[in-house]
Amino acid sequence: QARGEGSLDQIRRVIDSKVTPQLESIDGVASVNIYGGRQHSVEVELDDDQLQSLGLTMADVSNRITQAARPRRFLGQVESGRRRSFVHMVSDFSDIEALERTVVADSGSIPLSHVATIRDGGAERESISLVNGMEAIAISLVRDREANLIKLSQASRDAIADLNEDLMSDGIELVIKYDSAEPIEENIDAIQQLALFGGVLAIAVLWVFLRNLRLVAIVAAAVPVSVLIALNFFYAFDISLNTLSLVGIAIAVGMLLDNSVVVLENIYRQLARGQDAFQAVVAGVREVWRAVTAATLTTVCVFLPFVFSDNFLVGTLGRHVGISVVSTLLVSLVVAVLLIPVFAYRLFRRQDGAAAARAVGFHRVSQRHRLVQMYSLLLKSCLRYPTRTLVISFLVFFVSVLLCLGVSVNAGQEAELESFDLYVTLPGGTTLEVADEIARDLDVRLQRVEELAERRISVDEKTLHLSLDLQESFYDVAGRNLAAIKEDLHRDLRGAYRSLRFSYSQPVGSLGGGGRGGDGGGNIGGEQAFQRLLGIGSTSEHVSLRGSDLGMLRTIADDLKYNIERLSTVSYAYIRIDAGEPQIDLHLDHAALSYFGVDEQAINGALTGLQPQVRTAAQLRPPDAEGVDIVLKSGEVPVSRRVDDLYALQVSAAGGGTVPLSQLASLRHSDGY
């Protein structure tokens, strides 16, 4: 958000001239969208009476301005002494006076200032941004799909910090309200902390059994050594330290200690038999290396097939998690059979076997130990009654199978995030003013949701993008989780606005950032499918209808929607298709065009006046400043903007005079695609 002193238009002018170019230059930013305020432009307010007297239209003036400001062109080269220079033709408007001198009519060389008033101003609003019901300037950065999100976030934050220093003189500050990289960074930090804590707990368990600080340190050394060496495999397979790879390392941390413990324990056993350190190490490793290798490879074989999966999502998950687990375990195997024996030999080489065993606290577990007694009793019972043991095992197996069949593999769990997006698709033909009214009414309803901390709405003529932030302890407010809040909100809004379509996923064709949606063909979007693969996110099903008759498909879809919503297991359903924009088709009468001497270009020029503003292809380019768009506006509100007066629109004829549009074309109401 851009906050500061002055009106929204003044803030928008500073944002357009200073902020937008700097943000667009960040490597990895695909586009910068500005919501709210009026874009800085040069307004050319035309005198309709003067235009009519000269037989000109708004389209004619726009073409003249565009021709006068032709792009920079290379003309050739000249030589002066031993220096060669390239010659370019520059025809830019450097100031408003140059624009005023532009000739718009050949008869009498009439300048633009004769038929228009030119001033520095702003274009008509094309979007609106609301924050807690108040208008604001919102800036949305859309990243390139190939850009690293975390690196781009840091680069954007650095650029915004530099911009805030430059904007202090203008009294404007840029405030970051949402950063999609923050949840990822928080997840990575949480995984790192949990993995570290889990490693400490594993070492604590070793202390309980070994009771020797030096031995615990030897086994604990296998963790950082294995992880750091395994990072070489990450580099070789082009895997970064992300959430998935860190989860794989965390899984492998507990397993990689097993190999070291088994090798070290067998060395202890050899020491207890009275062998010297060298013999004990060699014999201890020789006896268990096959078993340790087999145990490690069996675990590796479980994760290895996922790396070569043809499914993209499974392959992505298996590649990052699988390679991190496999590489860490393979390195831990080498560490267990080579590094751990070296450490043990260095520790015990100056002591005889019995003394070394006593030094490390190695002793036989007493048969009077309660856990040993319980295990012995259970083992003897199973051996004494083998038939009963097998029957009980089979019963437990079949009960487990029945329980597994009752578990749904598609039951997703809503992730407890502190923010979510809501998209509202407006009916076709909705104006920006009506969209603004709907957005403000929605904001009033959202104020009733006690869990919301901030409400941000981006408004355009097609969709409303609502970004809603929850309070830190929102569950304590009314005892509702995120899924319950979204379901109650969706039910309330659907009941109040029957003509609107609400969705928590980005609609087809929407350009707003921050959403999750499909691919436009009824398939699950990549991010949504990945969440479903992990068992998180809302559970949804998609039905695709294909055929050549769109009207029939829409009728079938309406019937399906009605019946599906009656199911008790379905919260809501919606048809994923954009409604056609209402339009008026002009069917030209070519015989009438020929009779009155009117061509299609004249009709295009007359219809240009229907638009509230026309943005020309030219720009005003002051020295050492960004270009400013030149916008044409009618001096009066054209009555022909009403549908009833469209028939009376006057079209200039080649032989002079005008002809009403109703004499040249028939107007038919229809719906767009």
Side-chain angles (χ1 to χ4, degrees):
Q1 291 178 14
R3 301 174 179 177
E5 304 171 354
S7 64
L8 285 179
D9 293 341
Q10 292 174 338
I11 298 176
R12 174 65 185 262
R13 181 174 303 182
V14 175
I15 297 301
D16 289 337
S17 60
K18 295 184 178 181
V19 176
T20 303
Q22 295 296 325
L23 295 179
E24 288 178 339
S25 64
I26 299 176
D27 187 18
V29 173
S31 63
V32 178
N33 301 325
I34 312 296
Y35 300 92
R38 297 194 304 167
Q39 183 179 2
H40 181 210
S41 64
V42 174
E43 295 183 11
V44 180
E45 186 175 320
L46 301 174
D47 189 331
D48 295 335
D49 295 334
Q50 291 285 350
L51 291 180
Q52 188 173 2
S53 64
L54 296 172
L56 298 175
T57 63
M58 187 181 293
D60 296 331
V61 177
S62 176
N63 292 333
R64 288 286 184 148
I65 295 176
T66 302
Q67 292 174 3
R70 291 180 177 178
R72 182 185 184 97
R73 290 187 298 172
F74 171 72
L75 300 180
Q77 58 188 18
V78 296
E79 295 183 0
S80 176
R82 305 180 65 180
R83 181 183 181 87
R84 182 178 62 181
S85 301
F86 295 102
V87 181
H88 292 84
M89 185 177 71
V90 181
S91 183
D92 293 334
F93 297 121
S94 58
D95 50 32
I96 292 181
E97 287 74 13
L99 180 61
E100 291 176 343
R101 294 191 297 268
T102 302
V103 177
V104 295
D106 294 333
S107 58
S109 299
I110 298 175
L112 179 62
S113 59
H114 184 72
V115 298
T117 301
I118 305 174
R119 58 176 174 267
D120 194 40
E124 294 290 335
R125 293 192 304 176
E126 299 177 353
S127 63
I128 300 173
S129 176
L130 301 177
V131 178
N132 292 334
M134 303 294 292
E135 284 201 47
I137 302 295
I139 306 172
S140 173
L141 302 183
V142 182
R143 73 180 179 98
D144 188 347
R145 290 184 178 273
E146 301 297 329
N148 183 286
L149 184 59
I150 296 179
K151 291 182 179 179
L152 178 59
S153 172
Q154 186 59 46
S156 302
R157 288 180 176 273
D158 294 340
I160 292 173
D162 295 337
L163 283 171
N164 280 329
E165 294 181 0
D166 297 336
L167 296 175
M168 290 180 62
S169 59
D170 298 305
I172 297 177
E173 180 186 10
L174 301 179
V175 180
I176 300 176
K177 300 303 299 181
Y178 178 73
D179 184 357
S180 55
E182 281 187 354
I184 300 178
E185 292 178 328
E186 293 174 356
N187 290 341
I188 292 178
D189 293 339
I191 293 174
Q192 291 175 345
Q193 295 175 3
L194 294 175
L196 181 61
F197 184 68
V200 172
L201 288 179
I203 295 173
V205 172
L206 291 178
W207 167 258
V208 172
F209 287 92
L210 299 180
R211 299 295 181 90
N212 186 284
L213 183 60
R214 291 183 296 178
L215 296 181
V216 172
I218 292 176
V219 179
V223 176
V225 171
S226 301
V227 172
L228 293 176
I229 296 178
L231 294 181
N232 291 278
F233 290 88
F234 285 35
Y235 179 81
F237 290 95
D238 194 21
I239 293 178
S240 61
L241 283 177
N242 51 45
T243 304
L244 296 177
S245 59
L246 288 176
V247 167
I249 293 176
I251 294 174
V253 165
M255 297 189 221
L256 63 87
L257 291 177
D258 298 343
N259 298 333
S260 300
V261 170
V262 171
V263 172
L264 193 58
E265 192 276 337
N266 201 47
I267 293 175
Y268 298 162
R269 190 171 62 87
Q270 299 296 333
L271 289 172
R273 293 181 174 180
Q275 298 184 15
D276 58 31
F278 182 83
Q279 294 176 344
V281 168
V282 174
V285 176
R286 183 188 294 119
E287 290 181 354
V288 298
W289 76 268
R290 293 177 180 271
V292 170
T293 303
T296 303
L297 293 181
T298 53
T299 306
V300 168
C301 291
V302 173
F303 290 93
L304 198 58
F306 289 93
V307 179
F308 303 99
S309 174
D310 294 333
N311 185 282
F312 174 75
L313 295 178
V314 176
T316 301
L317 180 64
R319 176 179 173 81
H320 289 76
V321 177
I323 289 180
S324 57
V325 172
V326 169
S327 60
T328 307
L329 288 181
L330 291 178
V331 174
S332 71
L333 175 62
V334 179
V335 171
V337 298
L338 293 180
L339 191 60
I340 295 300
V342 172
F343 285 162
Y345 174 73
R346 295 280 296 181
L347 182 61
F348 307 130
R349 64 178 179 175
R350 297 183 180 179
Q351 304 176 9
D352 58 40
R358 289 192 298 270
V360 301
F362 182 83
H363 59 278
R364 295 181 180 277
V365 180
S366 174
Q367 294 296 325
R368 297 181 180 180
H369 196 280
R370 180 59 59 88
L371 291 178
V372 176
Q373 292 178 347
M374 294 174 59
Y375 168 71
S376 300
L377 178 61
L378 181 61
L379 179 60
K380 291 178 180 179
S381 300
C382 293
L383 294 176
R384 188 172 301 169
Y385 306 102
T387 304
R388 183 175 62 182
T389 301
L390 293 177
V391 171
I392 294 176
S393 301
F394 277 112
L395 290 177
V396 172
F397 171 76
F398 284 112
V399 170
S400 302
V401 172
L402 294 177
L403 292 177
C404 290
L405 294 177
V407 177
S408 175
V409 296
N410 293 322
Q413 182 179 2
E414 188 76 21
E416 293 296 323
L417 304 176
E418 294 184 354
S419 63
F420 62 95
D421 296 325
L422 176 62
Y423 296 90
V424 184
T425 303
L426 303 176
T430 303
T431 62
L432 184 63
E433 291 75 14
V434 175
D436 185 26
E437 294 177 2
I438 296 175
R440 294 181 185 276
D441 189 52
L442 278 173
D443 187 78
V444 173
R445 286 186 170 272
L446 292 174
Q447 293 181 23
R448 306 173 188 173
V449 182
E450 301 175 348
E451 293 89 346
L452 293 180
E454 185 174 83
R455 311 173 305 277
R456 300 185 300 276
I457 307 179
S458 299
V459 185
D460 59 34
E461 296 177 349
K462 293 184 178 181
T463 59
L464 306 180
H465 178 195
L466 288 75
S467 298
L468 307 176
D469 293 343
L470 299 172
Q471 301 179 15
E472 291 185 0
S473 303
F474 65 90
Y475 185 80
D476 299 332
V477 175
R480 297 188 299 178
N481 57 15
L482 179 58
I485 295 174
K486 294 170 68 173
E487 183 176 355
D488 294 343
L489 179 61
H490 193 276
R491 186 185 303 110
D492 177 57
L493 296 180
R494 288 186 66 212
Y497 304 94
R498 296 290 184 180
S499 61
L500 305 181
R501 191 175 71 193
F502 299 89
S503 173
Y504 292 108
S505 60
Q506 185 174 345
V508 177
S510 175
L511 297 178
R516 298 172 301 275
D519 56 4
N523 299 322
I524 303 176
E527 184 176 351
Q528 183 179 357
F530 191 73
Q531 290 181 350
R532 186 169 180 177
L533 181 66
L534 298 178
I536 62 176
S538 58
T539 303
S540 60
E541 296 293 339
H542 298 257
V543 179
S544 296
L545 302 180
R546 296 183 176 89
S548 58
D549 189 341
L550 184 60
M552 179 62 69
L553 292 178
R554 185 60 186 262
T555 302
I556 298 174
D558 289 334
D559 293 339
L560 282 175
K561 177 176 178 293
Y562 173 76
N563 287 279
I564 290 175
E565 286 185 328
R566 299 181 62 184
L567 299 175
S568 59
T569 56
V570 176
S571 300
Y572 62 90
Y574 63 90
I575 301 175
R576 198 167 193 168
I577 181 174
D578 287 338
E581 296 285 343
Q583 64 186 23
I584 297 177
D585 297 333
L586 301 180
H587 293 264
L588 300 179
D589 187 344
H590 294 281
L593 294 178
S594 177
Y595 178 79
F596 290 105
V598 177
D599 55 12
E600 296 182 5
Q601 185 176 0
I603 297 178
N604 291 335
L607 293 175
T608 305
L610 294 175
Q611 305 180 32
Q613 67 178 21
V614 174
R615 192 182 301 273
T616 66
Q619 284 188 328
L620 188 71
R621 297 182 180 274
D624 301 328
E626 292 291 329
V628 181
D629 292 337
I630 300 176
V631 178
L632 302 182
K633 294 185 177 181
S634 177
E636 301 178 358
V637 178
V639 296
S640 57
R641 291 182 63 183
R642 297 197 299 265
V643 177
D644 296 339
D645 297 325
L646 183 60
Y647 288 94
L649 184 66
Q650 299 296 317
V651 182
S652 300
T658 58
V659 182
L661 184 62
S662 59
Q663 298 288 330
L664 305 172
S666 59
L667 280 62
R668 303 176 187 176
H669 293 267
S670 63
D671 289 328
Y673 291 105

